Amino acid sequence: MESKIMIVDDAMFMRMVIKRALKTAGYENFTEVGDGREALERYKEVRPDLVLLDITMPERSGLEVLDDILTENPGARVIMCSAMGQEAVIAQAIRRGAKDFIVKPFKDEMLVQMVKTNLKA
């Protein structure tokens, strides 16, 4: 069965970068969400195998969305994406239940390896 990956980021460019990197690695089943308010609703509909979640978004932060997703599904696999300099927020996300994190800008190979590792977990 093909893995379903949900990409939540308010920057369309960033969603494109992530999708391109993962398509190159053979992934093809994506759901894109542009804001934190829509993320939980789409999560419930799609039930993705993995969520790539931006921390800084308007409306609802990635941390709030992480809490929502883990309330809905405590076993959810969520990788947080953050900009440089947000180490304290990253640590908080891991304590709250995120499986991993990647700092932007990132190398495509690093993202792909992280996704593969977390889909196997």
Side-chain angles (χ1 to χ4, degrees):
M1 184 172 139
E2 185 181 340
S3 297
K4 294 184 282 186
I5 299 171
M6 187 165 99
I7 303 165
V8 183
D9 198 305
D10 59 314
M12 186 187 312
F13 173 76
M14 200 67 228
R15 294 193 310 266
M16 283 179 14
V17 166
I18 292 169
K19 202 161 68 168
R20 181 185 35 105
L22 295 177
K23 276 186 173 186
T24 301
Y27 296 99
E28 294 185 7
N29 192 348
F30 302 102
T31 298
E32 292 183 57
V33 180
D35 68 68
R37 283 196 306 175
E38 184 186 353
L40 181 63
E41 183 179 314
R42 296 290 289 147
Y43 181 86
K44 288 178 183 179
E45 290 171 15
V46 176
R47 292 303 244 191
D49 301 299
L50 182 68
V51 178
L52 294 164
L53 178 59
D54 186 23
I55 288 179
T56 307
M57 293 184 292
E59 306 294 334
R60 292 183 59 73
S61 75
L63 290 176
E64 291 171 313
V65 174
L66 173 66
D67 291 343
D68 292 344
I69 288 173
L70 292 175
T71 298
E72 174 69 22
N73 176 11
R77 289 180 253 177
V78 180
I79 297 174
M80 302 302 291
C81 302
S82 74
M84 295 273 250
Q86 293 183 312
E87 290 81 4
V89 180
I90 291 168
Q92 187 178 10
I94 297 296
R95 282 194 304 274
R96 286 165 103 155
K99 300 296 185 206
D100 218 333
F101 68 90
I102 190 161
V103 177
K104 302 182 227 176
F106 50 78
K107 294 189 183 309
D108 289 359
E109 307 81 45
M110 191 174 175
L111 174 68
V112 169
Q113 186 55 50
M114 189 174 288
V115 166
K116 284 181 182 177
T117 299
N118 280 280
L119 283 172
K120 289 178 191 171

